Amino acid sequence: MALPRLLVVTDRHGAARPLSATVGEAVAGGARFVWLRDRDLDRAARRELARELLDLVRPVGGRLVIGGDADLAAATGAQGVHVPGSAGIDGIRVARERLGSAALIGFSAHSVAEIAAAEAAGASYATLSPIFPTPSKPGYGPALGLEALRAASARRLPVFALGGIGADDAAACREAGAAGLAVMGGVMRGSDPRSAVARFVAALT
């Protein structure tokens, strides 16, 4: 099944309102693919939040992936897990063994070589970041740019452009071959997540 072209990445610290409300507005705006990041929560709180977000995405046929916790994805019935780059490529194989062949297994890549390795390891999709300069990715060096995105997207693995992405960048990222956009600040930090998502969805259509 094809993935939605917009992946909304959560950030409750940056959100202007409670995260469930923010994601609810994003879903109302057309979001159908959500990555629960927020890894600093304790396990019980994160489990409860995952269930709240699943209640939002399921009625519209959306998908939720849990950042870095395959066990929590299995326990809550989420559609998959997003493996952080710090877990390494082996994290993809471990998640696949835990969740099975039907699960969505994403990976956070920061180079074209990591995209190739993620594809070989059996990932369902990957994010590539940072494509453009962004304050949320200060530890990953300079922006990779559209040429790196083009090279990564030449592979069969769906690649989502992440980092400093605005709705105005959708056409260029898609022209470079990206399967879609992964967006955090552009949705989480605004006062109107519904309208923000609607702009991204329109730009990607």
Side-chain angles (χ1 to χ4, degrees):
M1 187 180 297
L3 293 170
R5 290 179 178 174
L6 179 67
L7 172 57
V8 173
V9 187
T10 70
D11 175 18
R12 75 184 194 288
H13 295 299
R17 63 188 75 183
L19 188 57
S20 291
T22 300
V23 172
E25 286 295 303
V27 169
R32 298 295 181 265
F33 192 13
V34 178
W35 163 12
L36 173 56
R37 200 165 176 269
D38 293 276
R39 292 176 298 209
D40 59 326
L41 283 168
D42 66 56
R43 189 166 184 78
R46 203 166 186 233
R47 183 186 302 114
E48 180 59 29
L49 182 56
R51 287 174 174 156
E52 290 176 7
L53 300 191
L54 277 166
D55 286 343
L56 295 170
V57 301
R58 275 177 175 152
V60 296
R63 303 156 206 200
L64 178 73
V65 292
I66 308 293
D69 194 335
D71 288 339
L72 182 57
T76 58
Q79 285 73 32
V81 65
H82 191 100
V83 177
S86 59
I89 296 300
D90 283 343
I92 299 171
R93 300 187 180 96
V94 170
R96 181 63 71 197
E97 290 172 3
R98 176 68 179 87
L99 297 176
S101 60
L104 285 174
I105 309 294
F107 183 73
S108 291
H110 305 290
S111 70
V112 177
E114 286 184 342
I115 292 289
E119 181 180 44
S124 308
Y125 71 92
T127 56
L128 181 66
S129 68
I131 300 303
F132 302 119
T134 171
S136 68
K137 293 282 183 182
Y140 294 107
L144 297 173
L146 291 172
E147 287 310 306
L149 179 60
R150 189 182 308 278
S153 299
R155 311 196 68 87
R156 295 183 64 184
L157 183 69
V159 175
F160 286 76
L162 172 62
I165 304 288
D168 291 343
D169 301 307
C173 290
R174 289 283 290 159
E175 191 279 330
L181 308 180
V183 180
M184 183 169 65
V187 172
M188 292 286 117
R189 295 175 194 147
S191 60
D192 190 352
R194 182 186 302 208
S195 294
V197 166
R199 286 193 297 273
F200 277 107
V201 170
L204 286 164
T205 301

